[in-house]
Amino acid sequence: QLTMSFNSSTFLNEENSQGPKRNTECLESLELQTPSPFQDNPLQQLKLASQEVLEKAKKSGRSKCPRCSSSRMFYCYTCFVPVETVPTKEIPTVKLPLKIDIIKHPNETDGKSTAVHAKLLAPDDVTIYKYPCIPEYEEKRHEIALIFPGPNSVSIKDIAFHLQKYTKKGVYDNDDDCSREPFLKQAKIEPKEEEKNLNECISSNTSEGTSLKKIIFIDSTWNQTNKIITDERLQGLLQIELKTRKTCFWRHQKGKPETYLSTIEAIYYFLVDYHQEILKENYKGQYDNLLFFFSFMYTLIKNAKCCAGKE
């Protein structure tokens, strides 16, 4: 996960094997330039608010958190607020179509987590919990889903249909035609009839306002997820698996495939797919600013690696 508690020299000391002199030259070069898009930058097409405030803050260096007075770069990852050199009014705010709960593993280093990006940029719709202090979800299982791959996970486009299996008490409803076993398991129903019934069920679900209202993300390394995902408070929740996408995260987990996303990437891609496949609306960059900090750091670090001869 992302750490925001470093500056360019710290990063270069970790990455560059050419010695202190080269580090100093590269750092001086970085201080004189602003992040510029790389031709292979997969984030350069995003519709983002001006990042000038971050460029200025980078040149100023670390600053104090207005709440705890800790020295931080850009924002405080424990208080979830920008530092003094980054005025809140210059940070974009994103309105989400549903609420998001992020469950953070207790051993996940605060400074390495990108989950805080979501809280900073969508403060009214995002809540971060540190495991094991998490809510009870059983009473609202009919309107909550968990992002996690597994044998029982479903795609985003099938959310509405599968949520029909839950009543407000979180109990399987045998009297609701829309809550029966998936139609494919009912041999007597023809494929066309199956598709018709499924579409009617989804349409009914949306019109009655009983669709998804909250999504849960787990913020941890993949090796740490088992403790959280097996918690009894998360059992029985609908599990969603995201489409396969490659991560742009610079702290990629060693030995893991490129399809393992950082937390903020997972949130962003889920919302884009949800907007298109559930809300049935054209995506015009409504959630791009969720990657406001992420894209800035991506470009900054790409520049640093290039200067250090790593690219």
Side-chain angles (χ1 to χ4, degrees), residues 6 21 82 92 101 119 122 137 149 183 203 226 251-252 254 293:
F6 75 93
K21 182 178 180 180
D101 281 1
K119 182 62 179 175
Y137 293 108
F183 293 110
S203 176
N226 187 61
R251 288 183 174 274
H252 186 65
K254 187 176 181 180
F293 291 105

Side-chain angles (χ1 to χ4, degrees), residues 99-225:
K99 301 297 182 182
I100 289 179
D101 281 1
I102 300 174
I103 301 175
K104 186 175 176 296
H105 193 282
N107 293 336
E108 182 68 15
T109 304
D110 289 341
K112 293 183 178 181
S113 174
T114 62
V116 63
H117 294 188
K119 182 62 179 175
L120 283 162
L121 298 164
D124 295 335
D125 298 316
V126 175
T127 305
I128 298 178
Y129 297 95
K130 181 171 287 190
Y131 187 84
C133 299
I134 66 174
E136 296 286 347
Y137 293 108
E138 184 176 359
E139 291 296 320
K140 294 187 177 181
R141 284 197 301 169
H142 60 293
E143 58 187 35
I144 298 176
L146 171 67
I147 298 296
F148 198 81
N152 298 318
S153 298
V154 304
S155 64
I156 290 176
K157 65 182 177 64
D158 294 328
I159 288 176
F161 168 61
H162 287 279
L163 281 179
Q164 288 288 339
K165 295 179 180 180
Y166 304 103
T167 64
K168 291 186 177 181
K169 293 183 179 180
V171 178
Y172 191 84
D173 187 353
N174 292 316
D175 296 327
D176 187 348
D177 287 339
C178 291
S179 65
R180 294 180 297 177
E181 286 296 310
F183 293 110
L184 286 175
K185 294 184 179 180
Q186 301 175 28
K188 293 183 180 181
I189 297 182
E190 295 296 325
K192 289 184 178 180
E193 186 69 18
E194 166 196 327
E195 183 177 352
K196 177 182 177 182
N197 290 342
L198 178 57
N199 289 335
E200 288 177 353
C201 180
I202 294 176
S203 176
S204 173
N205 176 271
T206 303
S207 64
E208 292 174 7
T210 57
S211 57
L212 186 67
K213 293 183 180 179
K214 178 177 290 186
I215 199 78
I216 302 170
F217 290 84
I218 295 176
D219 182 47
S220 75
T221 63
W222 282 96
N223 293 333
Q224 295 173 334
T225 56

Side-chain angles (χ1 to χ4, degrees), residues 28-46:
E28 291 174 350
S29 175
L30 284 173
E31 289 301 323
L32 294 175
Q33 68 183 19
T34 57
S36 58
F38 275 69
Q39 291 184 350
D40 62 344
N41 183 351
L43 305 175
Q44 63 184 347
Q45 300 302 320
L46 295 173

